[in-house]
Amino acid sequence: MRGLRNLGNKAICMRILLLFLSFVLLMTNGFAQKKFSGDQLEQMKKTLAVEVDKHAKDIQVMVDQIFSYSELGFQETETSAFIISVLQKHGFKIEKGISGVPTAWMASWGSGSPVIALGSDVDCIPKASQQPGVAYRSPIVDGAPGHGEGHNSGQAVIIYAAIAMKEMMQKNNMSGTIRIWPGVAEELVGTKAWYIRDGYFKDVDACIFTHVSGDFTCDYGDNGGNGLVSVRFDFEGDAAHAAGAPWRGKSALDAVELMNVGWNYKREHLKPTNRSHYVVVDGGDQPNVVPSKASVWYYFRERTYEDIKANYEAGIQIANGAAMMTNTKVSYQILGTAWPGHFNKPLAETMYANIKKVGMPVWDDKDQAMARAVQQLVEAPKKDNNGKPIDGLRVKPDTIKGSVAFSWGGGSDDIADISWNVPTVVLRFPANIPGLKGHHWADAIAMATPIAHKGSLAGAKATALTLLDCFNDPTVIVEAKKYYKEVQTKDVQYKPFITEKDPPAIYLNKGIMDQYREQLKKYYYDPSKYGTYLEQLGIQYPIINK
């Protein structure tokens, strides 16, 4: 009996020891931080905001530099090299070529938990080349790409927030890890699902993402956007002389046109939340040859995974039917994918509290004149979709919003794939003009002007303050993960559209950039000679009329 009691006591002691070791592990590898009082934390936020302010010039240079590169998705070579050089200078370790994408990378600094990832997109828009600060059509290089989405601004927001936070962490002996990554080819929704597939976020505790906007806010829950599958259908037939023996040919172009006719008839029987569109990327070589090859590229968008999948499968079915009608063969490849978004409530509430602390930038008369001229140029509506007036730049941060009750559908962003795997918040910072069309050359007008510089600086401050909360208030991450598990993923589980057999489409846009890169190089921003890109281009901001 005594032996049994001794064995029992030893077992109890072992359990106590294991519990103690687990506690120590949690405190060292979990969210243990040096504790600061509420007053101390508020003072640290004031100090951190001042430190970010000291990087105002750096932010302006990065915004202008990336704007001048004007690189399309998967071809952001100059952009990535420049950003990497800045991060390495500030002590970040870089893993290049993640997920097999040459222009993608993951930067890391620090050690231990929590691990906070910061991301923003870097690619631009076809045929959107435009001189900044000029309120009429004035391309830098006619026909070339340009930043008609404003992605040139986001990396400056997260990088200089991270650098300021890193310096504070070093001074105050804080633990934690900062990761920084680029949204390569976001316009093609071409990489973030691949990052998830390949495990680059498996140890991340939370993700802060930033995107340019005319507002200053963040939302949570279902934001009303669509997810999508981007897929190219390639038809193969047989050539023949189009006049001499057309009956001997099998036209791949006929198959493409029949597929498009079939899909357009299908639209009548789709939900009103559907958004689907296509471009013919190869329609043959010349009219006197029956096209032996032709391709069409579709985006199938919907509000739920199930509906996206159904439309994708319907597209495949219609493509097979077109191939049968024309006696051709068809194959297809996924080029991009995004889930519908769902974002984290505790992170959004933390971020929004910091947005209110930072406040909107102070716009001067020139900024407002520029904004109103561009709004008039694009015939902006009088009110936005939420009923807010559109009249120049906004002077107050927008309100925070939760899940939409209903949405007719809309745009997509592959940050959603990360949001379904890691608690994620999207900061929308005020570096562009409200009421623009989106994906248009006019959206580039403000993106290397004081509007973009001031808005990006404000975004960097809000990001830095939120980082400070994540690293010093354990409840932020705990509550974020609780929302993620108990609300967001309670009834919906992430299912990727891609498999291990789907490579990233890194060849896309290469031909376009090869055509324009040498011409664009003549206009790359040189901060060693010019204070701003406007100065380099000789633009007296703002230019309202011709």
Side-chain angles (χ1 to χ4, degrees):
M1 293 295 290
R2 183 180 297 172
L4 290 174
R5 282 197 299 269
N6 288 338
L7 285 174
N9 290 336
K10 287 180 180 178
I12 291 169
C13 290
M14 183 59 71
R15 289 182 65 187
I16 292 171
L17 178 60
L18 288 173
L19 286 170
F20 174 75
L21 290 174
S22 298
F23 176 76
V24 171
L25 181 63
L26 176 66
M27 295 302 289
T28 56
N29 194 40
F31 306 120
Q33 291 290 342
K34 184 176 179 179
K35 299 299 181 183
F36 299 101
S37 69
D39 289 342
Q40 286 176 315
L41 196 57
E42 284 304 304
Q43 185 56 50
M44 290 171 73
K45 285 190 174 185
K46 291 177 182 177
T47 301
L48 188 57
V50 170
E51 292 303 311
V52 175
D53 264 325
K54 292 178 181 178
H55 290 288
K57 178 61 180 177
D58 299 317
I59 288 171
Q60 173 259 307
V61 168
M62 184 170 283
V63 168
D64 288 3
Q65 193 81 63
I66 298 174
F67 182 94
S68 73
Y69 292 146
S70 300
E71 294 177 304
L72 292 170
F74 289 120
Q75 308 304 320
E76 309 99 332
T77 54
E78 299 280 4
T79 300
S80 287
F82 167 61
I83 295 170
I84 287 170
S85 70
V86 172
L87 289 168
Q88 287 177 327
K89 177 182 175 183
H90 287 277
F92 283 80
K93 295 180 180 178
I94 311 292
E95 180 183 354
K96 298 179 182 179
I98 65 172
S99 289
V101 179
T103 55
W105 39 268
M106 183 72 78
S108 184
W109 179 86
S111 62
S113 294
V115 179
I116 310 298
L118 302 173
S120 202
D121 301 321
V122 293
D123 57 331
C124 71
I125 300 292
K127 295 182 174 62
S129 178
Q130 171 66 24
Q131 291 199 85
V134 178
Y136 53 83
R137 186 70 173 115
S138 181
I140 296 172
V141 174
D142 193 30
H147 274 286
E149 173 78 354
H151 287 171
N152 61 298
S153 58
Q155 286 291 319
V157 170
I158 59 174
I159 286 172
Y160 288 104
I163 289 170
M165 186 67 228
K166 166 182 171 284
E167 293 166 353
M168 178 166 280
M169 291 171 76
Q170 289 172 318
K171 290 177 183 177
N172 291 277
N173 196 29
M174 300 180 198
S175 64
T177 304
I178 300 173
R179 302 266 177 83
I180 301 177
W181 54 277
V184 166
E186 186 277 333
E187 299 301 340
L188 308 174
V189 288
T191 55
K192 298 187 186 80
W194 280 260
Y195 298 165
I196 290 295
R197 181 194 69 180
D198 297 337
Y200 286 100
F201 286 80
K202 63 184 178 183
D203 65 340
V204 171
D205 294 299
C207 178
I208 298 172
F209 190 74
T210 70
H211 197 282
V212 63
S213 178
D215 280 319
F216 199 10
T217 190
C218 57
D219 299 330
Y220 61 87
D222 174 1
N223 65 356
N226 282 3
L228 69 81
V229 171
S230 163
V231 56
R232 190 190 67 231
F233 295 91
D234 300 311
F235 292 89
E236 183 174 357
D238 199 17
H241 194 299
W247 53 87
R248 296 177 67 181
K250 300 173 184 178
S251 175
L253 179 59
D254 286 353
V256 164
E257 292 185 305
L258 285 167
M259 179 183 178
N260 294 343
V261 168
W263 184 259
N264 286 327
Y265 274 101
K266 176 73 173 175
R267 289 179 195 272
E268 179 184 356
H269 309 287
L270 296 175
K271 294 179 180 180
T273 47
N274 160 73
R275 297 284 193 279
S276 55
H277 19 266
Y278 59 83
V279 292
V280 176
V281 291
D282 180 7
D285 298 306
Q286 54 191 54
N288 63 326
V289 180
V290 173
S292 61
K293 292 186 178 181
S295 301
V296 61
W297 182 5
Y298 270 81
Y299 275 20
F300 299 110
R301 301 188 201 245
E302 253 293 359
R303 288 280 291 127
T304 68
Y305 168 84
E306 290 77 14
D307 286 341
I308 298 164
K309 188 170 184 288
N311 287 357
Y312 173 38
E313 290 172 346
I316 294 170
Q317 189 177 37
I318 290 171
N320 287 332
M324 288 179 64
M325 285 188 285
T326 54
N327 197 22
T328 59
K329 298 176 183 178
V330 65
S331 59
Y332 53 90
Q333 178 187 353
I334 290 180
L335 303 182
T337 176
W339 259 60
H342 190 116
F343 301 101
N344 194 270
K345 183 177 181 180
L347 289 179
E349 290 173 338
T350 302
M351 174 67 81
Y352 187 68
N354 290 316
I355 288 171
K356 290 193 293 183
K357 287 181 186 297
V358 173
M360 272 288 194
V362 177
W363 311 116
D364 63 21
D365 291 343
K366 292 181 179 180
D367 300 329
Q368 290 290 9
M370 179 88 265
R372 290 189 174 99
V374 176
Q375 288 164 347
Q376 183 178 2
L377 173 72
V378 301
E379 299 177 338
K382 298 298 182 183
K383 295 182 178 180
D384 66 14
N385 292 335
N386 296 313
K388 292 192 305 180
I390 295 174
D391 181 21
L393 298 167
R394 296 196 166 126
V395 295
K396 293 182 180 179
D398 198 2
T399 55
I400 188 171
K401 301 178 185 68
S403 291
V404 297
F406 174 78
S407 170
W408 289 106
S412 313
D413 192 324
D414 50 353
I415 186 58
D417 288 73
I418 292 173
S419 79
W420 281 100
N421 289 272
V422 175
T424 300
V425 63
V426 176
L427 166 69
R428 298 195 173 274
F429 59 94
N432 210 337
I433 299 167
L436 305 188
K437 295 182 179 182
H439 293 184
H440 187 264
W441 57 263
D443 288 70
I445 291 173
M447 290 314 306
T449 72
I451 294 172
H453 305 152
K454 294 173 185 178
S456 298
L457 179 60
K461 290 180 186 178
T463 301
L465 301 189
T466 304
L467 274 174
L468 184 60
D469 286 325
C470 289
F471 284 125
N472 285 281
D473 184 354
T475 62
V476 172
I477 303 301
V478 170
E479 290 300 314
K481 289 189 173 185
K482 182 179 179 182
Y483 176 90
Y484 173 77
K485 291 176 182 178
E486 297 181 6
V487 179
Q488 180 181 351
T489 60
K490 180 182 178 182
D491 300 315
V492 179
Q493 299 297 316
Y494 177 75
K495 302 171 187 176
F497 285 103
I498 60 170
T499 69
E500 295 296 327
K501 297 180 180 179
D502 294 302
I506 60 175
Y507 57 86
L508 290 174
N509 291 323
K510 185 178 184 303
I512 299 174
M513 289 310 303
D514 286 348
Q515 179 181 357
Y516 290 106
R517 193 180 293 280
E518 287 303 315
Q519 297 176 66
L520 288 166
K521 280 183 179 179
K522 302 173 186 176
Y523 300 98
Y524 285 176
Y525 175 44
D526 184 353
S528 68
K529 294 182 178 179
Y530 302 97
T532 66
Y533 196 43
L534 290 171
E535 180 186 343
Q536 180 170 324
L537 295 175
I539 295 169
Q540 297 296 317
Y541 171 82
I543 298 178
I544 304 301
N545 301 304
K546 287 188 179 181

